[in-house]
Amino acid sequence: MPLPVHNFTRSTASGGKFVVLLNTRDAESGAFLISDFSVDSQHPDPVRRCDRGTGLPLRDHGLAVRGGGWWKLDGGRLVLYGRSAAYGRFDPDWLRQRLETGSVFGEETLVIEG
């Protein structure tokens, strides 16, 4: 099942942070939050923005943070890598199965390192 993507980036962004949310009720679905460095300097920032946007804490929707990392655009590739100091490492296999190529910015090839 593809993850919904919540994109908080500017059109000129070439890198930033991302956070993976997991549905605690079924462990198969969740959401992918992505933000660029000019918008958010820390991994909790897009999580707080998502909380404010829904009006309810994510946990009230059955969502919990399950890691994060960094992203960069590199020659037609969207590269996901690293780990969040706040939330730890994301599960690359789980994310790879659920994040569709092209669902984040368009036609980039998805590359998940790790």
Side-chain angles (χ1 to χ4, degrees):
M1 175 179 194
L3 286 181
V5 174
H6 300 275
N7 192 333
F8 301 115
T9 64
R10 298 174 193 265
S11 61
T12 57
S14 61
K17 297 184 177 209
F18 71 88
V19 176
V20 177
L21 303 177
L22 178 69
N23 184 325
T24 59
R25 297 175 185 136
D26 68 16
E28 291 299 317
S29 62
F32 182 76
L33 309 179
I34 187 167
S35 185
D36 68 69
F37 290 122
S38 69
V39 175
D40 294 316
S41 61
Q42 299 178 3
H43 282 97
D45 294 338
V47 174
R48 282 191 287 270
R49 181 178 293 107
C50 200
D51 270 350
R52 286 193 306 265
T54 62
L56 291 170
L58 294 173
R59 68 180 164 271
D60 290 349
H61 293 285
L63 296 171
V65 176
R66 289 297 183 253
W70 298 297
W71 67 272
K72 64 182 175 184
L73 291 176
D74 180 27
R77 301 180 323 145
L78 171 62
V79 182
L80 306 179
Y81 63 100
R83 67 181 300 279
S84 163
Y87 301 124
R89 177 90 170 118
F90 64 99
D91 181 339
D93 294 328
W94 188 90
L95 187 58
R96 189 176 288 113
Q97 292 173 8
R98 287 163 182 84
L99 194 60
E100 293 181 341
T101 299
S103 66
V104 179
F105 291 109
E107 298 305 316
E108 292 81 12
T109 301
L110 180 64
V111 177
I112 299 178
E113 297 178 351

